[in-house]
């Protein structure tokens, strides 16, 4: 197992593929690998970051991935690969049970969020909704939560005249965005903030008095 040989292999397999913004596709797995490295993850996890899209997007084989990595790298890459007709809930459930897979997936989501600014508005809206529904709470189990939160806010802010309320799950005019976030950091509309704060206080009072 050697990072630079793994990088050469991944670069070869992703050759000819490009990102939405026009960059070579290999820049994405490299960025995911670097995000993981910055958080202190070792070479094996960094290689998983390099390889995470190989089975899904290229003609790379399981044998090749094992050859340039090892059995564990192959196992995690297979776990991260979305199969044909996959169901998102089941996919997320599988990943959440394996710590390494979860961290690589959240690092992947973080880089994709940072890159989403280059996409059209429809894609950005879809990506915000998907992130909040499936990845936001999971990211709290990783070292990437603060970065995910900032990246979501940045993409949300890039959408003209609208924002996504993460509580009532609607796109709302920015005039109706609450001046502060909820206690758990979610961006919501003014009516949801009032509702949320009252509900939270009532629950806290109930906890204090239930005994």
């Amino acid at each position: 197992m050697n990072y630079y040989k793994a990088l050469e292999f991944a670069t070869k397999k992703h050759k000819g593929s490009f990102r939405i913004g026009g960059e070579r596709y290999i820049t994405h797995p490299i960025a995911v690998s670097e995000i993981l490295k910055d958080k202190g993850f070792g070479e094996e996890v960094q290689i998983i970051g390099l390889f995470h899209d190989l089975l899904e997007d290229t003609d790379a084989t399981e044998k090749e991935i094992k050859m340039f990595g090892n059995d564990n790298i192959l196992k995690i890459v297979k776990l991260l690969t979305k199969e044909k007709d996959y169901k998102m809930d089941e996919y997320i459930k599988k990943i959440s049970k394996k710590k390494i897979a979860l961290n690589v997936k959240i690092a992947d989501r973080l880089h994709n969020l940072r890159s989403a600014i280059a996409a059209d508005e429809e894609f950005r809206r879809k990506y915000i909704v998907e992130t909040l529904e499936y990845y936001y709470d999971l990211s709290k189990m990783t070292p990437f939560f603060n970065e995910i939160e900032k990246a979501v806010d940045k993409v949300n802010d890039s959408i003209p005249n609208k924002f996504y309320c993460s509580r009532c799950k609607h796109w709302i005019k920015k005039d109706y965005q609450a001046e502060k976030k909820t206690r758990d950091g979610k961006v919501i509309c003014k009516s949801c903030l009032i509702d949320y704060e009252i509900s939270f206080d009532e629950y806290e009072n109930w906890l204090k008095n239930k005994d």
Side-chain angles (χ1 to χ4, degrees), residues 5 7 33 44 96 114 118 126 136 145 176 180-181 189:
K5 288 183 179 179
L7 174 58
S33 180
E44 181 172 289
S96 65
R114 289 171 173 171
K126 178 184 175 182
Y136 188 85
F145 174 64
Y176 296 98
K180 62 176 181 175
K181 296 181 181 180
C189 63

Side-chain angles (χ1 to χ4, degrees), residues 84-131:
K84 187 178 179 181
D85 299 323
Y86 76 98
K87 293 181 180 179
M88 191 66 161
D89 289 329
E90 293 176 5
Y91 173 71
I92 294 297
K93 188 176 180 180
K94 283 194 305 180
I95 289 173
S96 65
K97 291 180 179 178
K98 190 74 175 178
K99 188 176 180 180
I100 293 174
L102 175 60
N103 277 282
V104 174
K105 189 63 189 178
I106 297 300
D108 169 42
R109 176 59 45 152
L110 176 58
H111 183 250
N112 280 332
L113 277 168
R114 289 171 173 171
S115 304
I117 298 296
D120 60 37
E121 184 177 331
E122 182 180 354
F123 181 89
R124 281 177 281 156
R125 286 193 185 212
K126 178 184 175 182
Y127 219 67
I128 289 171
V129 174
E130 186 179 84
T131 299

Side-chain angles (χ1 to χ4, degrees), residues 59 80 99-100 211:
D59 64 357
L80 291 166
K99 188 176 180 180
I100 293 174
D211 295 328

